[in-house]
Amino acid sequence: NTKLVFEYTQLEVNTKLGISLFDITPQINDAIAKAGVTNGYVNVLSRHTTTAVTINEAEPRLMDDVRQFLRKLAPPDQPYLHNDLHLRQEPAGWPGGWDAWAAQEPENCHSHLLSMLLGNSE
C-alpha cells in the first residue's frame, strides 16, 4: 500500500558577493523527515537566474578548488555586454524608472553564465 506524496519546501540561503558554495544536505534531510517520506525522489531547484544547484562532495579543499575553477571559467572582471548598464533599458514599468533599476542591478553576467553551465536543478 503505497501513498504518493508531493511536498514543496522552500529553502532560503543568504549569499554574499562572489562565488559561494553551500551544503544544503541537512535542510533537505529535514524537509524529507518532516514530510514523512522514507522512499522516493527529491528534486532540488533554484529559482533564480544567477544561482545553480549541483551535487558533489562538501570537502572544504574541493570547494575551494571549485570556487577557483569557476572564477577562471567566468571571471567577474571581464567586459561582458550585460554589465554595460548604461546601454541597457530598465524592464517595462519598473518603479522609479531607469535610475531606480540601475541602482539595484548588479554587474553579474558571470553569475548568469555559470548558472547556465552548472544548471538549476538536481
Side-chain angles (χ1 to χ4, degrees):
N1 200 8
T2 304
K3 180 177 125 183
L4 190 58
V5 176
F6 291 94
E7 181 73 26
Y8 175 83
T9 302
Q10 185 169 320
L11 304 177
E12 290 189 25
V13 177
N14 292 322
T15 61
K16 46 192 165 184
L17 287 176
I19 295 171
S20 300
L21 304 174
F22 300 93
D23 181 1
I24 59 172
T25 305
Q27 294 96 315
I28 292 171
N29 287 338
D30 287 347
I32 292 168
K34 287 178 186 171
V37 175
T38 58
N39 186 17
Y41 298 94
V42 173
N43 184 304
V44 178
L45 152 76
S46 172
R47 295 178 52 193
H48 196 275
T49 59
T50 60
T51 61
V53 175
T54 190
I55 297 173
N56 215 307
E57 295 178 36
E59 192 275 319
R61 293 179 61 83
L62 174 62
M63 292 175 82
D64 287 341
D65 288 336
V66 169
R67 275 190 280 279
Q68 290 176 31
F69 174 76
L70 293 175
R71 189 171 172 80
K72 289 178 188 174
L73 194 60
D77 58 353
Q78 291 297 302
Y80 300 112
L81 301 178
H82 176 75
N83 291 346
D84 292 335
L85 299 182
H86 66 286
L87 299 176
R88 291 174 53 198
Q89 187 169 356
E90 80 277 7
W94 190 272
W98 187 90
D99 288 332
W101 169 78
Q104 62 77 49
E105 180 70 8
E107 294 181 358
N108 62 358
C109 184
H110 67 289
S111 298
H112 287 283
L113 296 174
L114 291 173
S115 176
M116 290 166 52
L117 292 173
L118 293 170
N120 296 98
S121 66
E122 284 287 349

